[in-house]
Amino acid sequence: MKPMNLPCPLWLDALLIAPFRWPASPYLGMWLGSTLLALWCLILGELSYALVFLLQRRRLSQMQDDMVRLHNLSVDAIHSGDKAAYLAVNSLAQEKLGNNFFATAAAGMTAIWPLPFALAWMAQRFEGIVLYHLPGTTRSLGYVFVLLSAYIAEKLVFSRLKRHLPLFARIEAIKQADRERRGPMRPF
C-alpha cells in the first residue's frame, strides 16, 4: 500500500529528517530520529492536553461533581429501600458517568494527536524499509515499531516526571483539590 503524499513544508521535513541522518549506522539513525520525533510528539501532545484541561476544567469538574453526587444519591436511595428513587437516580448517574467518561477521554486524546502526523511523515520517508525480521515468521518490524516503542518509553518516563514540572504539577493540584472538595463515591 502506497502512503498518501501529504504536503510537508521543506523546512519541517529537513528539521525532522536531520536526526535520522546524524549517526553513520542506519539502525542507530532510525532509533535516534524516532526517539527525538516521539519526544516532539509527546511534548506537543502534553502541552495540548494541558491547554484543553485548563480551558475546560470547570466543565469537566462540574461533570464529575454531578456524577459523584448522583451516584451517592442512588446509594442513599438503595440503602433506604426506595427502589423507584434508586432506579431513577441511578439512570441519571449512569448518563453522567457516560458523559464524564467520553469528555475525559476526549480531553486525554489531545495528548496523542501529533502521533498520526508523525507516522504519516515517516510513512513517506520509510515505508517498505524493514528493520527487523521476526524469527520463524515472514513478518517484519519497521518504522512504526520504532516510533511507538520510543513514544511509549518516553510516555512512561514523563508520567513519573510530570508532577515535578510546574504546569503539570498545577494541573495535578487542581485535580486533587477537586477530588477532595467533591468527596468519594460511596460504595453500595
Side-chain angles (χ1 to χ4, degrees):
M1 174 183 211
K2 186 175 180 183
M4 193 167 88
N5 193 7
L6 298 173
C8 181
L10 292 177
W11 66 268
L12 181 59
D13 185 62
L15 180 73
L16 295 176
I17 198 66
F20 289 87
R21 295 179 174 163
W22 292 340
S25 165
Y27 291 105
L28 189 57
M30 179 59 79
W31 280 100
L32 176 64
S34 296
T35 300
L36 291 176
L37 183 59
L39 184 61
W40 279 109
C41 290
L42 178 73
I43 291 169
L44 188 56
E46 290 294 333
L47 289 174
S48 298
Y49 168 76
L51 179 64
V52 166
F53 177 82
L54 292 173
L55 291 173
Q56 294 292 318
R57 76 180 194 209
R58 285 183 183 87
R59 181 173 171 266
L60 292 170
S61 180
Q62 184 61 48
M63 290 173 75
Q64 291 172 350
D65 290 350
D66 292 344
M67 178 189 68
V68 170
R69 182 179 54 80
L70 288 169
H71 168 79
N72 289 342
L73 284 174
S74 71
V75 170
D76 291 343
I78 199 73
H79 287 304
S80 69
D82 190 349
K83 186 175 180 179
Y86 164 74
L87 292 174
V89 175
N90 192 48
S91 176
L92 292 172
Q94 287 179 8
E95 182 180 335
K96 293 295 182 182
L97 174 69
N99 292 344
N100 181 59
F101 173 79
F102 286 108
T104 303
M109 292 300 285
T110 59
I112 63 169
W113 74 264
L115 264 179
F117 292 99
L119 287 168
W121 175 81
M122 289 185 80
Q124 291 177 347
R125 288 296 198 143
F126 304 110
E127 187 68 37
I129 296 175
V130 174
L131 295 173
Y132 306 101
H133 287 283
L134 295 175
T137 69
T138 59
R139 303 262 180 193
S140 58
L141 300 173
Y143 67 93
V144 174
F145 167 75
V146 177
L147 181 70
L148 292 181
S149 296
Y151 183 82
I152 290 168
E154 290 170 1
K155 187 80 167 169
L156 290 171
V157 170
F158 183 78
S159 70
R160 300 280 183 171
L161 297 177
K162 76 180 185 178
R163 67 177 178 259
H164 303 291
L165 301 173
L167 174 63
F168 300 103
R170 178 177 171 215
I171 289 172
E172 287 305 312
I174 290 169
K175 289 179 179 179
Q176 182 63 32
D178 281 349
R179 282 191 295 269
E180 289 171 4
R181 177 188 48 77
R182 182 179 308 120
M185 290 178 75
R186 292 195 298 268
F188 283 100

